[in-house]
Amino acid sequence: MALQVGDIIPHFVAKDSNGNDFDSNDYVGKQSLVIYFYPKDDTPGCTTQACTFRDQYEDFKEVGAEVIGISSDSVQSHLKFQSKFNLPFILLSDNDKKIRKAFGVSKDYFGLIDGRTTYVVGANGVVQLIFDSTSAKDHIKNALEILKK
């Protein structure tokens, strides 16, 4: 069952691009989160989305939010992607797609490609916005608008 606005995000643990353990409990209760699921590292739409988050990362930090990108790519793939585009935020490897399933992120393009969905989560862990769109740039604008309110 997919998360809805008003739900509390599920607890999750994953490896970041440096191979370190990331635990969502280290963030929930302390700051807002923008968690975005994307299909694949270093593809045109995903690169546009990641670079737009990068370019506006300070705007997210100013409103007290951390940005977290999640895909099924490997830790090594994330490290290359992060280095190539100088991405300052957290990338997590969900290679078994357990986090994607826990959030209820659907597939795009007739079920062929992992979906692109962004969740804005308050410091209390409650989902404030779910934005599901193939348009990569709209995710950033909509997430920032909610966080500024």
Side-chain angles (χ1 to χ4, degrees), residues 36-53:
Y36 80 96
F37 291 86
Y38 64 99
K40 188 138 184 66
D41 289 342
D42 217 2
T43 56
C46 297
T47 299
T48 296
Q49 184 177 26
C51 289
T52 305
F53 270 119

Side-chain angles (χ1 to χ4, degrees), residues 1-148:
M1 178 126 149
L3 284 181
Q4 304 292 319
V5 170
D7 289 348
I8 294 176
I9 63 165
H11 171 252
F12 61 92
V13 176
K15 295 284 185 193
D16 68 16
S17 56
N18 294 312
N20 299 317
D21 286 331
F22 172 94
D23 188 325
S24 63
N25 284 343
D26 293 339
Y27 291 83
V28 172
K30 297 178 179 107
Q31 68 184 114
S32 297
L33 300 172
V34 176
I35 302 171
Y36 80 96
F37 291 86
Y38 64 99
K40 188 138 184 66
D41 289 342
D42 217 2
T43 56
C46 297
T47 299
T48 296
Q49 184 177 26
C51 289
T52 305
F53 270 119
R54 175 199 65 205
D55 295 346
Q56 293 193 262
Y57 184 64
E58 287 307 314
D59 295 334
F60 286 98
K61 297 305 278 183
E62 282 176 21
V63 293
E66 182 57 67
V67 176
I68 301 167
I70 302 175
S71 80
S72 61
D73 291 304
S74 69
V75 168
Q76 296 83 1
S77 176
H78 280 340
L79 184 58
K80 275 196 233 172
F81 186 48
Q82 201 165 37
S83 296
K84 182 176 180 179
F85 294 103
N86 197 27
L87 305 176
F89 50 85
I90 298 164
L91 292 181
L92 298 178
S93 177
D94 183 28
N95 58 349
D96 57 7
K97 301 188 181 189
K98 283 185 180 173
I99 304 169
R100 182 175 287 277
K101 286 179 187 147
F103 275 71
V105 179
S106 60
K107 295 241 182 201
D108 285 337
Y109 299 107
F110 309 105
L112 300 174
I113 297 171
D114 287 337
R116 183 185 311 279
T117 304
T118 298
Y119 297 83
V120 177
V121 181
N124 57 0
V126 175
V127 177
Q128 297 176 342
L129 170 77
I130 300 170
F131 188 73
D132 186 358
S133 170
T134 55
S135 173
K137 283 191 174 185
D138 290 342
H139 289 254
I140 293 84
K141 176 182 63 113
N142 289 328
L144 262 176
E145 283 174 10
I146 288 293
L147 287 165
K148 286 179 178 177

